[in-house]
Amino acid sequence: MDGVLKGKTALVTGASRGIGLAVARELAGAGAWVGMVARGGGELARAAEEVGGHAIPADVTSPSSVHGLVGYVTELLGDTPDILVNSAGAFALAPLAATDPDTFDRQIAVNLRGPFLLIRALLPLMLARRAGTVVNIGSVAGRAAFPENGAYSASKFGLRGLHEVLVAETRGTGVRATLVEPGATDTALWDPVDPDGRSDLPSRSQMLAPGDVARAVLFAVTQPAGVEIPAIAVQSAG
């Protein structure tokens, strides 16, 4: 789909690795200008150089950082981005009774508060232009309960609720929204868990690849202007 997004602009969070990096690569490969957002450092710079994107260090859980990010991007582009992909993610497993409050708060902050802050900042601009696409990266854990997923599911169920309200509020405005809900995906978020060493989790070889999720995002954002894909569930066929 080379060139299908030529002239379009996109902002992708969590873009230094995993699904976010794969999405940035897919959108850039389709011709879009891609602003790649992560907390910074050499990893983000290397990722942007690899993809041909524009590295933008920012903390999506901070209102002041998001305000600065949106101001920088809109000034740089002279307009609001055509596409926002909320892909930054935090993940940890623990039984509810053993979940540390800080761990719970971190997952809510990254997985739910971050998308809320960015939508809140960019949606008025998209509505004024009567165009724009918001893609939220959810999870199968946002529609099904799994043991040890208390914090993660709380954040992803919350994101699904936020997304559904966004769809309802933007109907007929020219702004579109898609929730992509992948099953287990082989990213660095699994490194501390070592799923290959646990019988109750899928092995990494059975998981989706980040690129599988990124292609679903590309499908959603390349639909004709009058077509909205409210949700896409992506799962491994293995």
Side-chain angles (χ1 to χ4, degrees), residues 11 66-67 69-71 73-74 79-86 114-136 161-178 228:
L11 195 63
V66 169
H67 178 77
L69 163 65
V70 170
V73 170
T74 53
D79 201 350
T80 187
D82 298 298
I83 300 163
L84 166 65
V85 182
N86 285 309
F116 162 71
L117 290 175
L118 278 158
I119 291 168
R120 181 176 181 271
L122 286 172
L123 183 57
L125 304 175
M126 290 181 172
L127 289 171
R129 194 177 60 181
R130 299 193 62 81
T133 302
V134 177
V135 179
N136 295 307
L162 180 74
H163 172 80
E164 290 183 1
V165 172
L166 175 64
V167 170
E169 291 186 350
T170 56
R171 190 170 292 117
T173 67
V175 177
R176 307 180 298 180
T178 298
E228 180 177 46

Side-chain angles (χ1 to χ4, degrees), residues 129-204:
R129 194 177 60 181
R130 299 193 62 81
T133 302
V134 177
V135 179
N136 295 307
I137 305 298
S139 168
V140 63
R143 52 187 165 86
F146 301 98
E148 300 188 34
N149 272 249
Y152 189 65
S153 280
S155 68
K156 292 300 187 177
F157 267 85
L159 180 62
R160 180 157 60 89
L162 180 74
H163 172 80
E164 290 183 1
V165 172
L166 175 64
V167 170
E169 291 186 350
T170 56
R171 190 170 292 117
T173 67
V175 177
R176 307 180 298 180
T178 298
L179 177 66
V180 178
E181 294 184 302
T185 305
D186 187 12
T187 72
L189 292 179
W190 286 101
D191 290 351
V193 178
D194 185 22
D196 289 339
R198 292 180 52 164
S199 61
D200 60 332
L201 295 172
S203 67
R204 299 186 87 140

Side-chain angles (χ1 to χ4, degrees), residues 93-131:
L93 294 178
L96 278 172
T99 298
D100 182 80
D102 288 342
T103 299
F104 184 91
D105 289 346
R106 176 64 183 164
Q107 291 182 71
I108 295 294
V110 176
N111 300 340
L112 180 55
R113 179 181 172 86
F116 162 71
L117 290 175
L118 278 158
I119 291 168
R120 181 176 181 271
L122 286 172
L123 183 57
L125 304 175
M126 290 181 172
L127 289 171
R129 194 177 60 181
R130 299 193 62 81

